[in-house]
Amino acid sequence: MDHGAWLTTSLIYLAAAVIAVPLARALGLGSIIGYLGAGIAIGPWGLAFVTDAQMILSVAEFGVVLMLFLVGLELEPRRLWSMRRPIFGWGTAQMGLCAGSMALVGVAFGVSWQIALAASLGLAMSSTAIGLAVLNERRAMPSNAGQGVLSIALFQDVAAIPILALLPLLATQATQDSGGGWLGAAKAVAVIAALLLGGRLLLRPALRWIAGSKTPEIFTAASLLLVVATAALMHAVGLSMALGAFLAGVLLAESEYRRELETDLEPFKGLLLGLFFIAVGMSIDFAVVFAQPLLVAAIVLGFLVVKAIVMLVIARFMPIPLAERSVFVILLAQGGEFGFVVFQAAQQASVIDAPTQSLLVAAVAVSMLLSPLALVIADKWLAPRLSRRVAPQVAEIDAAQSEQVIIAGFGRYGQIVGRLLL
């Protein structure tokens, strides 16, 4: 084993993160921009310290898997069941309206309907990693906007199954195995059912037995094994690894080991998620951007505007306060990492060609880079104005009051209240 190469690569990633993230936070830009900037700086189009971004991206995707597992731990099955309408209702509306609108725009500009539909399905996806990371950083997951983003992100992971099954049917050249996509979808549904049924019967007794060994590092290893095994099972049937980890987390949300699992996995999640954002920054193909800058800009601006308009319309019907709508719209208007998978599958199915795939991947990556910047702008300029607009008006009491006031308890705070009233 070449220990020197491994140590050098680790040194580059850690040094880039340690320098870029605190600098970005000091400038008020947020940690995600710091990670993305670090990836651009050390990637092929920066200092070229690292050139194989795709290999790092495939490893770093496990950070997204861990994040969804921890999110699932916060959602008890009853609460998830209560979210079924937002997930399938608003999720269907988001995917249908966004993909349909963008496909119509593409056809209007002379693109064939097969290419327009395949591209719009990939562009309709939003970044689960950036969306949930921003919500966690802002402690906004319990808010209405946070629950809305989570619901739609979960539906997008579920929608990946029929989307990947549909792509071979859009191919201009008929293939002999066009039914394989639907067979894969049936396998995916069977695996989810097996996970939900078997998980409740096996996971908790297994963790109880492992915890009985009273060896903390083995319990940590078991926690990682649980997530890795679930992700591998989902990947084997062509399903989102993050969705499988989320379901495993939900199954353990009522477990007595919930907090211990969170404590063990949180450090791994943070490091791998940061590595994921660095890999996304490295994977931006600036050759495509520089070769056709106006076309890339038009694609990015076009799908961001279409998705933002759709999300604004949806937000008006959802219980999202006006002050939270900007975060909701920005987090769902951007492209997502699963779009990369959709475009790759579309190219393999001969629906789109390689140059078109590179163009779409570059547009999604640029939108993921712009999303945190848009949040910073919204926080500085839009949020204060919306807050003043929706701030409640408190009526002052001019007349003298004669009613008695009862102070229940006269400790430190009770004495302060008494002095103010006096």
Side-chain angles (χ1 to χ4, degrees):
M1 178 183 290
D2 188 358
H3 293 86
W6 181 84
L7 289 173
T8 302
T9 303
S10 302
L11 175 64
I12 292 172
Y13 282 110
L14 292 174
V18 168
I19 294 173
V21 174
L23 182 60
R25 293 296 295 265
L27 296 175
L29 300 178
S31 60
I32 295 177
I33 294 182
Y35 285 121
L36 293 172
I40 295 174
I42 67 175
W45 297 97
L47 300 175
F49 289 149
V50 182
T51 56
D52 191 359
Q54 292 303 317
M55 182 189 70
I56 301 300
L57 187 62
S58 62
V59 174
E61 283 179 356
F62 192 60
V64 183
V65 173
L66 286 175
M67 180 178 64
L68 264 294
F69 178 76
L70 294 177
V71 170
L73 283 177
E74 297 295 331
L75 290 175
E76 298 179 357
R78 296 176 186 172
R79 186 179 170 195
L80 182 63
W81 178 252
S82 68
M83 293 174 61
R84 65 189 184 280
R85 291 183 180 177
I87 292 174
F88 292 99
W90 300 120
T92 303
Q94 185 270 339
M95 283 295 299
L97 292 175
C98 289
S101 301
M102 288 186 287
L104 290 176
V105 172
V107 172
F109 278 91
V111 181
S112 68
W113 71 269
Q114 293 95 337
I115 296 177
L117 181 58
S120 63
L121 288 172
L123 294 175
M125 296 284 185
S126 306
S127 176
T128 302
I130 292 180
L132 299 189
V134 168
L135 293 173
N136 286 329
E137 191 176 87
R138 296 170 174 239
R139 304 291 190 270
M141 186 66 74
S143 66
N144 290 334
Q147 293 299 294
V149 172
L150 175 62
S151 300
I152 293 177
L154 290 176
F155 179 81
Q156 290 179 355
D157 283 339
V158 175
I161 308 170
I163 288 175
L164 294 179
L166 175 66
L167 290 176
L169 302 180
L170 298 177
T172 54
Q173 298 178 353
T175 57
Q176 298 296 323
D177 58 346
S178 60
W182 297 107
L183 180 60
K187 291 180 180 179
V189 173
V191 167
I192 291 178
L195 178 63
L196 293 177
L197 295 176
R200 295 189 66 88
L201 300 175
L202 300 177
L203 285 180
R204 293 184 189 178
L207 288 176
R208 193 175 296 115
W209 178 72
I210 294 170
S213 66
K214 300 186 182 302
T215 309
E217 63 271 17
I218 295 301
F219 191 86
T220 301
S223 304
L224 289 172
L225 175 62
L226 169 64
V227 180
V228 172
T230 308
L233 183 63
M234 291 295 174
H235 181 70
V237 295
L239 197 60
S240 168
M241 295 186 295
L243 177 62
F246 173 80
L247 293 176
V250 171
L251 292 175
L252 293 172
E254 295 177 337
S255 169
E256 62 269 30
Y257 302 108
R258 166 183 167 185
R259 295 303 176 191
E260 191 169 356
L261 288 168
E262 289 179 346
T263 304
D264 288 342
L265 296 179
E266 186 68 32
F268 297 98
K269 181 212 68 170
L271 288 174
L272 288 172
L273 199 58
L275 183 61
F276 172 80
F277 292 130
I278 292 177
V280 169
M282 288 172 19
S283 64
I284 299 177
D285 191 351
F286 286 98
V288 176
V289 177
F290 294 150
Q292 297 175 297
L294 295 180
L295 182 57
V296 173
I299 294 175
V300 173
L301 182 62
F303 85 79
L304 286 179
V305 169
V306 171
K307 291 179 71 175
I309 293 174
V310 171
M311 298 319 303
L312 279 173
V313 173
I314 292 177
R316 292 180 63 88
F317 295 95
M318 295 179 69
I320 299 178
L322 183 61
E324 299 178 10
R325 290 181 187 175
S326 58
V327 174
F328 176 78
V329 171
I330 292 173
L331 292 181
L332 291 175
Q334 63 178 324
E337 55 275 356
F338 207 85
F340 302 152
V341 179
V342 173
F343 299 144
Q344 183 180 7
Q347 182 191 358
Q348 292 175 350
S350 301
V351 180
I352 60 177
D353 53 21
T356 303
Q357 187 223 10
S358 299
L359 198 64
L360 293 172
V361 168
V364 169
V366 170
S367 74
M368 294 170 69
L369 177 63
L370 294 178
S371 178
L373 293 173
L375 284 172
V376 172
I377 296 174
D379 288 340
K380 291 184 179 298
W381 298 99
L382 186 59
R385 290 171 171 79
L386 292 177
S387 298
R388 288 195 297 268
R389 181 177 174 182
V390 300
Q393 300 295 326
V394 180
E396 296 184 359
I397 302 176
D398 297 328
Q401 302 298 307
S402 59
E403 299 296 333
Q404 295 182 349
V405 176
I406 298 176
I407 302 177
F410 209 64
R412 182 172 56 181
Y413 294 108
Q415 293 177 28
I416 294 173
V417 172
R419 283 198 297 271
L420 290 173
L421 292 174
L422 183 62

